[in-house]
mmCIF file of all heavy atoms in Angstrom:
data_model
loop_
_atom_site.group_PDB
_atom_site.id
_atom_site.type_symbol
_atom_site.label_atom_id
_atom_site.label_comp_id
_atom_site.label_asym_id
_atom_site.label_seq_id
_atom_site.Cartn_x
_atom_site.Cartn_y
_atom_site.Cartn_z
ATOM 1 N N PRO C 65 0.788 -5.795 10.407
ATOM 2 C CA PRO C 65 1.702 -4.813 9.767
ATOM 3 C C PRO C 65 1.477 -4.524 8.321
ATOM 4 O O PRO C 65 2.348 -3.900 7.703
ATOM 5 C CB PRO C 65 3.115 -5.336 10.098
ATOM 6 C CG PRO C 65 2.880 -6.805 10.073
ATOM 7 C CD PRO C 65 1.468 -7.088 10.632
ATOM 8 N N PHE C 66 0.411 -5.023 7.788
ATOM 9 C CA PHE C 66 0.224 -4.972 6.304
ATOM 10 C C PHE C 66 -0.927 -4.011 5.902
ATOM 11 O O PHE C 66 -1.948 -3.886 6.610
ATOM 12 C CB PHE C 66 -0.132 -6.310 5.746
ATOM 13 C CG PHE C 66 0.986 -7.294 5.814
ATOM 14 C CD1 PHE C 66 1.224 -8.138 6.900
ATOM 15 C CD2 PHE C 66 1.887 -7.433 4.712
ATOM 16 C CE1 PHE C 66 2.265 -9.008 6.932
ATOM 17 C CE2 PHE C 66 2.938 -8.284 4.792
ATOM 18 C CZ PHE C 66 3.114 -9.101 5.913
ATOM 19 N N LEU C 67 -0.805 -3.412 4.657
ATOM 20 C CA LEU C 67 -1.796 -2.667 3.980
ATOM 21 C C LEU C 67 -2.191 -3.599 2.805
ATOM 22 O O LEU C 67 -1.342 -4.336 2.278
ATOM 23 C CB LEU C 67 -1.317 -1.368 3.371
ATOM 24 C CG LEU C 67 -0.773 -0.351 4.364
ATOM 25 C CD1 LEU C 67 -0.221 0.872 3.605
ATOM 26 C CD2 LEU C 67 -1.856 0.109 5.248
ATOM 27 N N ARG C 68 -3.418 -3.533 2.332
ATOM 28 C CA ARG C 68 -3.791 -4.290 1.254
ATOM 29 C C ARG C 68 -4.298 -3.260 0.125
ATOM 30 O O ARG C 68 -5.167 -2.446 0.423
ATOM 31 C CB ARG C 68 -4.979 -5.246 1.616
ATOM 32 C CG ARG C 68 -5.298 -6.264 0.549
ATOM 33 C CD ARG C 68 -6.434 -7.125 1.021
ATOM 34 N NE ARG C 68 -7.599 -6.228 1.053
ATOM 35 C CZ ARG C 68 -8.806 -6.699 0.730
ATOM 36 N NH1 ARG C 68 -9.072 -7.929 0.422
ATOM 37 N NH2 ARG C 68 -9.848 -5.898 0.699
ATOM 38 N N MET C 69 -3.886 -3.460 -1.078
ATOM 39 C CA MET C 69 -4.290 -2.612 -2.128
ATOM 40 C C MET C 69 -4.842 -3.491 -3.282
ATOM 41 O O MET C 69 -4.172 -4.475 -3.671
ATOM 42 C CB MET C 69 -3.062 -1.820 -2.683
ATOM 43 C CG MET C 69 -3.400 -0.837 -3.750
ATOM 44 S SD MET C 69 -1.972 0.238 -4.189
ATOM 45 C CE MET C 69 -2.613 1.805 -3.706
ATOM 46 N N ASN C 70 -6.035 -3.048 -3.830
ATOM 47 C CA ASN C 70 -6.638 -3.775 -4.838
ATOM 48 C C ASN C 70 -6.066 -3.261 -6.227
ATOM 49 O O ASN C 70 -6.149 -2.028 -6.424
ATOM 50 C CB ASN C 70 -8.163 -3.521 -4.758
ATOM 51 C CG ASN C 70 -8.937 -4.333 -5.791
ATOM 52 O OD1 ASN C 70 -8.403 -4.743 -6.810
ATOM 53 N ND2 ASN C 70 -10.243 -4.568 -5.467
ATOM 54 N N LEU C 71 -5.573 -4.133 -7.012
ATOM 55 C CA LEU C 71 -4.982 -3.763 -8.287
ATOM 56 C C LEU C 71 -5.992 -3.888 -9.441
ATOM 57 O O LEU C 71 -5.649 -3.575 -10.618
ATOM 58 C CB LEU C 71 -3.711 -4.553 -8.530
ATOM 59 C CG LEU C 71 -2.623 -4.522 -7.535
ATOM 60 C CD1 LEU C 71 -1.512 -5.435 -7.866
ATOM 61 C CD2 LEU C 71 -2.147 -3.085 -7.343
ATOM 62 N N ALA C 72 -7.153 -4.382 -9.186
ATOM 63 C CA ALA C 72 -8.169 -4.708 -10.167
ATOM 64 C C ALA C 72 -9.020 -3.495 -10.470
ATOM 65 O O ALA C 72 -10.145 -3.363 -10.012
ATOM 66 C CB ALA C 72 -8.999 -5.946 -9.818
ATOM 67 N N CYS C 73 -8.322 -2.454 -11.105
ATOM 68 C CA CYS C 73 -8.991 -1.208 -11.381
ATOM 69 C C CYS C 73 -8.355 -0.644 -12.663
ATOM 70 O O CYS C 73 -7.277 -1.047 -13.022
ATOM 71 C CB CYS C 73 -8.897 -0.322 -10.148
ATOM 72 S SG CYS C 73 -7.244 0.059 -9.598
ATOM 73 N N PRO C 74 -8.923 0.394 -13.188
ATOM 74 C CA PRO C 74 -8.295 1.075 -14.280
ATOM 75 C C PRO C 74 -6.927 1.594 -13.872
ATOM 76 O O PRO C 74 -6.676 2.006 -12.739
ATOM 77 C CB PRO C 74 -9.241 2.219 -14.578
ATOM 78 C CG PRO C 74 -10.525 1.804 -14.070
ATOM 79 C CD PRO C 74 -10.226 0.943 -12.796
ATOM 80 N N ARG C 75 -5.980 1.647 -14.864
ATOM 81 C CA ARG C 75 -4.667 2.099 -14.609
ATOM 82 C C ARG C 75 -4.690 3.473 -13.943
ATOM 83 O O ARG C 75 -3.810 3.815 -13.068
ATOM 84 C CB ARG C 75 -3.847 2.062 -15.876
ATOM 85 C CG ARG C 75 -2.433 2.578 -15.637
ATOM 86 C CD ARG C 75 -1.554 2.507 -16.903
ATOM 87 N NE ARG C 75 -1.321 1.116 -17.380
ATOM 88 C CZ ARG C 75 -0.321 0.438 -16.838
ATOM 89 N NH1 ARG C 75 0.479 0.882 -15.995
ATOM 90 N NH2 ARG C 75 -0.120 -0.806 -17.257
ATOM 91 N N SER C 76 -5.500 4.394 -14.488
ATOM 92 C CA SER C 76 -5.488 5.728 -13.893
ATOM 93 C C SER C 76 -5.854 5.731 -12.411
ATOM 94 O O SER C 76 -5.288 6.522 -11.681
ATOM 95 C CB SER C 76 -6.548 6.624 -14.729
ATOM 96 O OG SER C 76 -7.796 6.095 -14.593
ATOM 97 N N ARG C 77 -6.743 4.895 -12.006
ATOM 98 C CA ARG C 77 -7.120 4.848 -10.627
ATOM 99 C C ARG C 77 -5.968 4.220 -9.813
ATOM 100 O O ARG C 77 -5.644 4.695 -8.648
ATOM 101 C CB ARG C 77 -8.385 4.025 -10.430
ATOM 102 C CG ARG C 77 -8.765 3.879 -8.924
ATOM 103 C CD ARG C 77 -10.099 3.359 -8.770
ATOM 104 N NE ARG C 77 -11.044 4.366 -9.186
ATOM 105 C CZ ARG C 77 -12.365 4.241 -9.244
ATOM 106 N NH1 ARG C 77 -12.899 3.081 -8.849
ATOM 107 N NH2 ARG C 77 -13.162 5.134 -9.606
ATOM 108 N N LEU C 78 -5.294 3.235 -10.324
ATOM 109 C CA LEU C 78 -4.054 2.604 -9.638
ATOM 110 C C LEU C 78 -2.997 3.683 -9.515
ATOM 111 O O LEU C 78 -2.453 3.753 -8.447
ATOM 112 C CB LEU C 78 -3.689 1.393 -10.412
ATOM 113 C CG LEU C 78 -2.399 0.701 -9.767
ATOM 114 C CD1 LEU C 78 -2.701 0.224 -8.370
ATOM 115 C CD2 LEU C 78 -2.038 -0.502 -10.634
ATOM 116 N N ASP C 79 -2.717 4.360 -10.565
ATOM 117 C CA ASP C 79 -1.699 5.404 -10.540
ATOM 118 C C ASP C 79 -2.035 6.444 -9.508
ATOM 119 O O ASP C 79 -1.127 6.860 -8.698
ATOM 120 C CB ASP C 79 -1.502 6.155 -11.905
ATOM 121 C CG ASP C 79 -0.797 5.114 -12.886
ATOM 122 O OD1 ASP C 79 -0.208 4.143 -12.458
ATOM 123 O OD2 ASP C 79 -0.935 5.402 -14.156
ATOM 124 N N ASP C 80 -3.308 6.832 -9.405
ATOM 125 C CA ASP C 80 -3.718 7.820 -8.401
ATOM 126 C C ASP C 80 -3.532 7.295 -7.088
ATOM 127 O O ASP C 80 -3.024 7.964 -6.126
ATOM 128 C CB ASP C 80 -5.139 8.207 -8.689
ATOM 129 C CG ASP C 80 -5.664 9.199 -7.694
ATOM 130 O OD1 ASP C 80 -5.124 10.286 -7.625
ATOM 131 O OD2 ASP C 80 -6.683 8.872 -6.932
ATOM 132 N N GLY C 81 -3.945 6.033 -6.851
ATOM 133 C CA GLY C 81 -3.842 5.405 -5.518
ATOM 134 C C GLY C 81 -2.417 5.300 -5.113
ATOM 135 O O GLY C 81 -2.045 5.558 -3.917
ATOM 136 N N LEU C 82 -1.468 4.857 -5.997
ATOM 137 C CA LEU C 82 -0.053 4.891 -5.680
ATOM 138 C C LEU C 82 0.492 6.221 -5.331
ATOM 139 O O LEU C 82 1.310 6.358 -4.437
ATOM 140 C CB LEU C 82 0.690 4.156 -6.846
ATOM 141 C CG LEU C 82 0.433 2.639 -7.029
ATOM 142 C CD1 LEU C 82 1.018 2.212 -8.355
ATOM 143 C CD2 LEU C 82 0.909 1.897 -5.893
ATOM 144 N N THR C 83 0.123 7.210 -6.113
ATOM 145 C CA THR C 83 0.545 8.603 -5.820
ATOM 146 C C THR C 83 0.147 8.969 -4.483
ATOM 147 O O THR C 83 0.933 9.663 -3.703
ATOM 148 C CB THR C 83 0.069 9.530 -6.920
ATOM 149 O OG1 THR C 83 0.624 9.100 -8.208
ATOM 150 C CG2 THR C 83 0.475 11.037 -6.616
#
Side-chain angles (χ1 to χ4, degrees):
F66 291 89
L67 300 175
R68 190 182 71 145
M69 182 175 246
N70 187 338
L71 304 175
C73 59
R75 180 177 291 275
S76 60
R77 182 168 287 173
L78 178 58
D79 288 341
D80 178 60
L82 291 169
T83 297

